[in-house]
Structure formats: C-alpha cells, structure tokens
C-alpha cells in the first residue's frame, strides 16, 4: 500500500476516534434527565362521539361566573396565553396582539398588529367590542367562534378558568370598565 493512503486512513480513523471521545465525554458531563412534569401541555379539542353533536352544557352567564372569579387564578391560567400574547402596558405584539386594555376594546383594533381576514370580518369594521360576553364565547373555542382565525389555541373548556382569565384581563387596564351585575345577567 502507498504511504499516502496509509496516512489518509490513519488521519480519518484518528479524527473519528477524537470525535467519538469528545461525544462520549460531553454526554457524561452535560447529561440531562427527562423533566418530571411537562412545561406546557397543549389541550386539543376532542371530537364529539359518533352519532352527532354532543349536547351543549347549560351556559352560565359570564356575569355570574365573574362574581366568583379570582384574578390571581386567572393570572396563572394566562400563562398559557403568554406564549403568543403580552399583557403589559405598551408591551410588544407577539404572535398575537398585546392584551393590555382588551376588555371593551374594539375587536381587531390593536395598533401595529396584522389581524387575519376572519378576525377583521368578525369585528364588523371595529364596531364590535371585546365585551365580557364576547370574550367568554371566544375563549371557549376560538376557531368555532371565529372560523378562519389565525389563533391556534383550542380554548378554555372550564367556565371557571375562562371567568378567572377574563377577570385578570379586566385588571390589565388603566381604568377597568365596571363588571356586569350578576343579578341582572342572562345569556
């Protein structure tokens, strides 16, 4: 065999040996265990059983739900939203618009955010507002409420979770609008 071929094969084998040694050593030094609990579980919407639509549960008016809601619990649930939304005053738009002052704000009106055509149509030219009722309906199932929306979130199925988040969003304003009266609430 030619000495150049022997040198090339030796260099190749030496390089492979060094790379394998570094790989094994770095795995030993920087080894990480699988987390005990997932950081964020994505809740997918379940399809109704065969044989038709599932009967909707009796809707509780949002005013009644807000009467027993907890803004601190809503802040915890809002962490799911923070992947796409910011709630600070003057904060940036992310994948979704900034939600500071969203309660009673015209739909699809946050400056600097490019809304989907479906959301613009839903807003009826900005004449519709994010009322407590509209937020409750939208957060139940965004894709059902606004077909074609770019929002990929499945929604919040639990009434109390929605009420908590809506109450928390209500606090994210310079001067929050008054809460609806639960005694006069009908849905």
């Amino acid at each position: 065999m030619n000495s150049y071929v022997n040198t090339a094969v030796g260099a190749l084998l030496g390089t492979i040996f060094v790379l394998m040694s570094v790989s094994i050593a770095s795995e030993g030094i920087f080894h990480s265990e699988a987390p005990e609990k997932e950081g964020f579980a994505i809740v997918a919407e379940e399809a109704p059983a065969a044989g038709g639509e599932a009967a909707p549960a009796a809707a509780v008016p949002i005013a009644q739900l807000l009467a027993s809601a907890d803004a601190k619990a809503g802040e915890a649930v809002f962490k799911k939203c923070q992947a796409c939304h910011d709630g600070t005053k003057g904060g940036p738009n992310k994948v979704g618009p900034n939600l500071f002052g969203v309660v009673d704000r015209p739909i699809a009106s946050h400056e600097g955010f490019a809304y989907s055509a479906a959301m613009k149509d839903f807003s009826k030219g900005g004449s519709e507002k994010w009322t407590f009722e509209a937020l409750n309906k939208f957060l139940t199932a965004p894709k059902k409420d606004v077909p074609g929306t770019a929002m990929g979130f499945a929604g919040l199925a639990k009434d109390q979770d929605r009420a908590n988040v809506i109450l928390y969003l209500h606090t994210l304003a310079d001067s929050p609008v008054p809460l609806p009266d639960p005694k006069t609430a009908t849905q």
Side-chain angles (χ1 to χ4, degrees):
M1 233 193 223
N2 178 332
S3 66
Y4 290 117
V5 173
N6 284 342
T7 304
V9 170
L12 177 65
L13 290 174
T15 302
I16 291 171
F17 176 76
V18 169
L19 290 175
M20 294 283 292
S21 298
V22 169
S23 174
I24 291 168
S26 66
E27 174 65 25
I29 294 170
F30 300 107
H31 179 72
S32 63
E33 299 292 328
E36 290 178 21
K37 181 182 172 196
E38 294 178 15
F40 180 69
I42 297 175
V43 180
E45 192 174 317
E46 292 185 22
E53 289 283 322
V60 179
I62 189 62
Q64 290 177 2
L65 292 171
L66 287 171
S68 63
D70 178 12
K72 272 290 194 202
E75 185 177 7
V77 175
F78 184 74
K79 289 183 181 182
K80 294 178 184 179
C81 309
Q82 287 178 327
C84 300
H85 297 280
D86 186 70
T88 59
K89 182 176 181 175
N93 290 321
K94 292 182 174 181
V95 174
N98 182 296
L99 297 180
F100 186 85
V102 72
V103 178
D104 210 38
R105 177 169 78 195
I107 296 173
S109 67
H110 191 269
E111 200 171 309
F113 186 77
Y115 289 92
S116 65
M119 190 59 77
K120 288 178 185 174
D121 290 343
F122 181 72
S123 75
K124 297 178 184 170
S127 65
E128 294 291 320
K129 290 187 175 187
W130 282 123
T131 62
F132 293 105
E133 293 81 14
L135 283 167
N136 186 39
K137 187 176 177 196
F138 182 72
L139 291 175
T140 302
K143 294 250 183 225
K144 283 185 180 177
D145 193 39
V146 184
T149 183
M151 186 166 164
F153 185 63
L156 296 169
K158 295 180 182 175
D159 288 345
Q160 199 59 52
D161 283 350
R162 281 193 316 278
N164 291 341
V165 166
I166 293 169
L167 186 63
Y168 175 68
L169 289 172
H170 171 260
T171 66
L172 300 179
D174 289 329
S175 55
V177 296
L179 291 171
D181 183 5
K183 295 174 187 166
T184 60
T186 58
Q187 194 151 353

